[in-house]
């Protein structure tokens, strides 16, 4: 994502009631933070937030948490959140630290148009690499469930292989999601690519959580 500096970004972040400060303090108690036992869906790399905001508005019985690592991106997304949404929270962090934030409490993870890190030597930075899959193991409740969409065929194939070799089962595989499904809630990047006539690749990956002895 091209980053333009946003004036007053510190002020925007500081004043948003949706941005969770000291998120690590809530590990294992996000149900208390939301005040209910509804499922929790997380999007890593939420960007400007269209996907997660529209999902939160359409699904009041699901709690959504958006993760984004850049202040300038957050300063664009936070002001877009309507005033009275009680099923959406945002965390500013690098997902590399995700296992410090959640413990056995997440139901679904969305990876939408994640950075592809095209160079081979950077493959472990991809959000679907084994490095991240190992971290995700401890955040999910009963089933690890990852919904991924991307415009990048190389990242897509890499991800399918990475999920499979880590014990995930794949379903809803699509090489042209928008030809197969209508009425989808989309992301900013997705709209751009679909507008150019590019195919969107999608997959759902699931794996049972290993019970510790
Ligand atoms: N998902 C949005 C969309 O589809 O419009 C944004 C896609 S953009 C290519 C990727 C986003 O993920 C950027 O906003 C970037 O800052 C964020 N991101 C990348 N790696 C991340 C990480 N390790 N932790 C948190 N956010 C990350």
């Amino acid at each position: 994502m091209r980053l333009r500096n946003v004036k007053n970004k510190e002020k925007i972040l500081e004043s948003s009631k949706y941005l969770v400060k000291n998120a690590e303090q809530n590990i294992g108690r996000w149900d208390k933070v939301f005040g209910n036992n509804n499922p929790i869906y997380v999007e890593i790399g939420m960007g400007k937030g269209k996907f997660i905001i529209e999902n939160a508005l359409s699904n009041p019985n699901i709690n959504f948490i958006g993760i984004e690592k850049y202040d300038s991106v957050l300063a664009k997304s936070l002001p877009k959140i309507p005033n009275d949404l009680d099923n959406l929270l945002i965390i500013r962090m690098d997902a590399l630290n995700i296992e410090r934030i959640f413990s056995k409490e997440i139901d679904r993870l969305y990876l939408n148009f994640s950075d592809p890190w095209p160079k081979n030597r950077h493959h472990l930075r991809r959000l679907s690499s084994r490095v991240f899959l190992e971290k995700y193991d401890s955040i999910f409740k009963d089933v690890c469930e990852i919904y991924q969409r991307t415009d990048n065929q190389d990242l897509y194939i890499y991800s399918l292989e990475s999920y499979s070799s880590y014990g995930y089962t794949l379903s809803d595989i699509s090489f042209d999601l928008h030809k197969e499904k209508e009425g989808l809630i989309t992301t900013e990047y997705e709209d751009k690519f679909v507008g150019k006539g590019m195919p969107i690749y999608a997959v759902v990956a699931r794996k049972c959580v290993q019970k510790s002895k």
Side-chain angles (χ1 to χ4, degrees), residues 1 45 47 68-70 93-95 112-113 115 187-189:
M1 175 170 285
E68 173 53 54
K69 67 176 173 180
Y70 289 121
M93 66 175 285
D94 189 318
N112 291 323
F113 303 86
D115 296 336
T187 78
E188 280 90 355
Y189 268 62

Side-chain angles (χ1 to χ4, degrees), residues 168-210:
Y168 278 82
T169 302
L170 308 182
S171 68
D172 300 81
I173 289 179
S174 175
F175 284 76
D176 199 345
L177 181 66
H178 287 258
K179 250 197 191 143
E180 292 166 20
K181 286 197 179 149
E182 286 179 7
L184 295 164
I185 293 180
T186 55
T187 78
E188 280 90 355
Y189 268 62
E190 190 167 7
D191 288 347
K192 211 171 64 182
F193 295 129
V194 172
K196 289 183 185 167
M198 291 166 61
I200 302 301
Y201 305 95
V203 63
V204 177
R206 287 194 186 85
K207 176 174 82 80
C208 283
V209 168
Q210 306 283 334

Side-chain angles (χ1 to χ4, degrees), residues 6 12 32 94 100 109 121 146 171-172 186 201 205 213:
V6 178
I12 297 171
K32 310 276 183 312
D94 189 318
R100 296 190 203 160
L109 193 58
R121 67 173 188 275
I146 303 176
S171 68
D172 300 81
T186 55
Y201 305 95
K213 288 176 195 157

Side-chain angles (χ1 to χ4, degrees), residues 41 53-64 87 110 185:
Y41 293 1
I53 295 170
E54 287 182 18
N55 265 292
L57 286 166
S58 305
N59 301 283
N61 295 325
I62 295 171
N63 296 321
F64 289 88
N87 62 332
Y110 288 107
I185 293 180

Side-chain angles (χ1 to χ4, degrees), residues 1 3 43-49 67-70 73 93-96 111-117 125 127 132 187-190:
M1 175 170 285
L3 286 178
E43 183 186 13
I44 298 180
M46 57 175 273
K48 293 183 185 159
I67 291 177
E68 173 53 54
K69 67 176 173 180
Y70 289 121
V73 181
M93 66 175 285
D94 189 318
L96 260 179
L111 302 178
N112 291 323
F113 303 86
S114 308
D115 296 336
W117 293 105
R125 298 183 189 181
L127 293 175
F132 282 91
T187 78
E188 280 90 355
Y189 268 62
E190 190 167 7

Side-chain angles (χ1 to χ4, degrees), residues 23-27 93 96-103 138-139:
E24 291 185 18
Q25 290 175 1
N26 295 322
I27 187 167
M93 66 175 285
L96 260 179
N97 299 318
I98 197 162
E99 80 274 30
R100 296 190 203 160
I101 306 290
F102 305 116
S103 175
S138 70
I139 71 169

